Amino acid sequence: MTHINLDELTHLQAINKKLVAGYHICEQDNVMWQELDQHIEDYTALFTALGNDLKHDSRGFYYFGSDESTPNMGKISRAIALTIYILIEHYANTGKDPMRALFDDINDLELMQTLVQINKHLFDQLEIFSGSDLRKDVYLRMVRLGLAREVEGGFMLQAPIHRYIDALMEVNEETYLTEDEE
């Protein structure tokens, strides 16, 4: 049995509140991230005892894992995944290194409008009809989940976006393998 000194977990309430809400705590969440990093065994044991699965991704973020992985992603998850996929494609088409641009470039309203216009048929299915809709329905939700942060002029994506990139790569690999079998 692990002995946990709750007095050392000075940000337990804030960390728990964020993680339970689906937020991803990353290095930009300096105080919470440092506390998790310094007391990872205590937090893991405590959250496990409470029925939560604390995950640490080596790319610099923490989140609660879920057993509820289903092929039917929610509308928000589909919108985020589509946006990430389209951003990667957009950066590649403009001659940028997509992975570098994904994390280094500011996603402003002009870019959002361009993405929606170029991919209207896809965004229409998610009831996103303008750059403003994309900002409100996707980017602000990404901020609430710790996937992006709002900066002057737009939004910057953060390390937890890798979860979506991993999922997109997995779908791409499954599609590729299925096509090879045919």
Side-chain angles (χ1 to χ4, degrees):
M1 173 104 178
T2 305
H3 175 73
I4 301 170
N5 183 352
L6 294 178
D7 292 333
E8 291 181 5
L9 307 181
T10 57
H11 293 90
L12 173 59
Q13 186 175 4
I15 289 170
N16 184 61
K17 184 177 180 178
K18 289 281 193 182
L19 292 172
V20 166
Y23 189 85
H24 296 71
I25 296 174
C26 64
E27 292 176 355
Q28 285 77 14
D29 301 303
N30 197 354
V31 173
M32 289 187 289
W33 188 85
Q34 283 181 354
E35 182 162 318
L36 277 168
D37 206 47
Q38 291 171 359
H39 301 283
I40 186 62
E41 285 112 19
D42 290 342
Y43 273 103
T44 300
L46 179 61
F47 288 137
T48 299
L50 295 172
N52 293 306
D53 182 19
L54 179 63
K55 300 280 189 184
H56 175 230
D57 190 291
S58 62
R59 293 169 286 197
F61 57 95
Y62 294 91
Y63 63 99
F64 278 161
S66 170
D67 297 343
E68 301 168 14
S69 299
T70 63
N72 299 322
M73 294 175 14
K75 180 182 174 185
I76 294 167
S77 289
R78 285 194 316 269
I80 293 171
L82 175 64
T83 301
I84 300 308
Y85 178 81
I86 287 171
L87 273 171
I88 291 169
E89 186 176 73
H90 173 76
Y91 290 137
N93 289 342
T94 58
K96 294 182 176 182
D97 175 343
M99 292 308 289
R100 173 167 277 152
L102 204 58
F103 295 102
D104 290 349
D105 286 11
I106 293 176
N107 292 222
D108 61 13
L109 193 55
E110 183 180 336
L111 173 63
M112 292 176 210
Q113 188 63 38
T114 300
L115 296 176
V116 172
Q117 286 174 346
I118 292 172
N119 300 281
K120 182 178 176 0
H121 61 289
L122 296 172
F123 281 114
D124 280 356
Q125 295 174 37
L126 295 170
E127 299 175 4
I128 295 172
F129 305 108
S130 68
S132 294
D133 288 346
L134 186 59
R135 179 186 185 282
K136 177 181 60 130
D137 295 343
V138 177
Y139 280 88
L140 290 175
R141 293 213 174 143
M142 285 196 288
V143 169
R144 285 194 294 265
L145 295 172
L147 305 172
R149 70 183 189 284
E150 201 162 0
V151 297
E152 188 175 328
F155 298 85
M156 296 286 295
L157 300 182
Q158 299 189 127
I161 282 296
H162 282 288
R163 290 190 65 203
Y164 282 89
I165 295 169
D166 294 347
L168 290 169
M169 296 298 287
E170 190 175 308
V171 167
N172 189 45
E173 189 174 301
E174 288 173 10
T175 302
Y176 180 74
L177 291 174
T178 303
E179 288 174 357
D180 280 352
E181 293 171 1
E182 292 176 355

